[in-house]
Amino acid sequence: MAEDPRKIVEEGYDLVAAAYSRLERENQWPRMRWLSKVLSRLAPGSSVLDLGCGSGDPADIEIARLHHVIGVDLSKAQIGLARQNIPKGRFIHEDLSSLDFPDESFDAVVSFYTLEHLPREQHGPILQQIHSWLRPEGLLLFSYEKGDRNDVTVEWLGAPMFFSMYDPKTIMRLVKDAGFDIIEADVESQLEQNREVSYLWILARRK
Ligand SMILES: C[S@@+](CC[C@H](N)C(=O)[O-])C[C@H]1O[C@@H](n2cnc3c(N)ncnc32)[C@H](O)[C@@H]1O
């Protein structure tokens, strides 16, 4: 690996935070529909962790209506926006792979459009961490770009950006190996700069 992926992603999102927030205005992404599958299963006042929360708009704004939201993001620009957008949320400027929460801290963990920005050999260990942070029966929802790419850096929204992901079968196996039952999984496409991009959506429950 030539350059530190964490540095590429951190500097990249500091540059493209505003451009990224405009992307979804092109059309509606499936994020909120999937999020509603989590929120409909939670009691009011639950604790929800959002990994790679970005600006918090729109997911954390919705979560914070009834729940405690804790967002984590590597980009200072994104965390700044999230703090403005959701004043009652708690937002941590940190690499999600170096977090250390006590066991059984959360009722749900969500992560949208983020895991594919970390080297894929970290994906299994991160899923195991999430499992330990969730209370028994806790929910995990994440999207995962459909593909099979091992550590590539490409131009994205005008900045270099790092991507790395396993094929859908492998990531589903890693979810199960980490101790989750998959409730629902599906591949959905969305438009990004007039390009169709497909994501695997996984909703799972901690055993
Ligand atoms: C495509 S954006 C998604 C933002 C938001 N989740 C959403 O649904 O719009 C990916 C976000 O993940 C963050 N991110 C990427 N790698 C990260 C890491 N290792 N730790 C924390 N945040 C990370 C980026 O800074 C960026 O804000």
Side-chain angles (χ1 to χ4, degrees):
M1 220 180 288
E3 242 198 289
D4 178 9
R6 178 193 151 127
K7 194 162 170 278
I8 297 170
V9 173
E10 181 175 7
E11 291 177 356
Y13 273 98
D14 279 348
L15 281 173
V16 307
Y20 175 75
S21 74
R22 285 192 296 270
L23 262 190
E24 195 173 356
R25 293 190 198 142
E26 295 170 9
N27 71 334
Q28 268 233 311
W29 294 353
R31 186 207 291 99
M32 298 305 277
R33 185 160 37 78
W34 281 91
L35 177 62
S36 70
K37 295 173 198 267
V38 172
L39 298 183
S40 65
R41 289 169 162 92
L42 293 179
S46 295
S47 286
V48 182
L49 174 66
D50 184 359
L51 296 173
C53 60
S55 70
D57 181 13
D60 296 345
I61 293 174
E62 182 63 23
I63 295 168
R65 283 156 54 90
L66 286 180
H67 307 290
H68 304 288
V69 66
I70 300 96
V72 178
D73 205 284
L74 193 55
S75 155
K76 208 172 176 178
Q78 293 280 58
I79 280 290
L81 291 171
R83 287 183 178 139
Q84 277 174 27
N85 287 333
I86 305 111
K88 65 177 183 173
R90 180 180 159 214
F91 292 97
I92 304 168
H93 179 214
E94 181 66 90
D95 181 347
L96 69 88
S97 65
S98 28
L99 291 168
D100 190 16
F101 293 111
D103 285 356
E104 303 187 8
S105 297
F106 302 105
D107 300 292
V109 175
V110 298
S111 185
F112 305 111
Y113 313 115
T114 294
L115 260 197
E116 56 270 18
H117 287 309
L118 287 92
R120 66 183 188 178
E121 69 271 11
Q122 293 184 12
H123 297 181
I126 288 166
L127 289 165
Q128 288 165 17
Q129 282 273 28
I130 293 172
H131 182 273
S132 71
W133 299 333
L134 277 170
R135 302 192 174 116
E137 308 277 296
L139 296 167
L140 166 65
L141 170 66
F142 70 103
S143 60
Y144 194 82
E145 189 171 337
K146 184 167 175 268
D148 186 0
R149 287 199 279 175
N150 190 8
D151 301 350
V152 297
T153 300
V154 295
E155 195 78 5
W156 189 71
L157 297 176
M161 189 54 72
F162 175 88
F163 293 89
S164 187
M165 77 288 283
Y166 291 113
D167 62 279
K169 208 170 146 195
T170 305
I171 191 68
M172 300 253 286
R173 180 176 51 71
L174 291 175
V175 171
K176 289 179 194 158
D177 288 352
F180 290 94
D181 284 324
I182 293 181
I183 301 171
E184 193 178 341
D186 206 358
V187 173
E188 297 207 30
S189 298
Q190 62 188 50
L191 273 184
E192 297 180 17
Q193 296 177 295
N194 295 320
R195 195 169 66 93
E196 235 182 51
V197 186
S198 296
Y199 292 87
L200 173 65
W201 288 85
I202 299 181
L203 174 62
R205 182 182 285 115
R206 183 195 147 144
K207 281 190 207 164

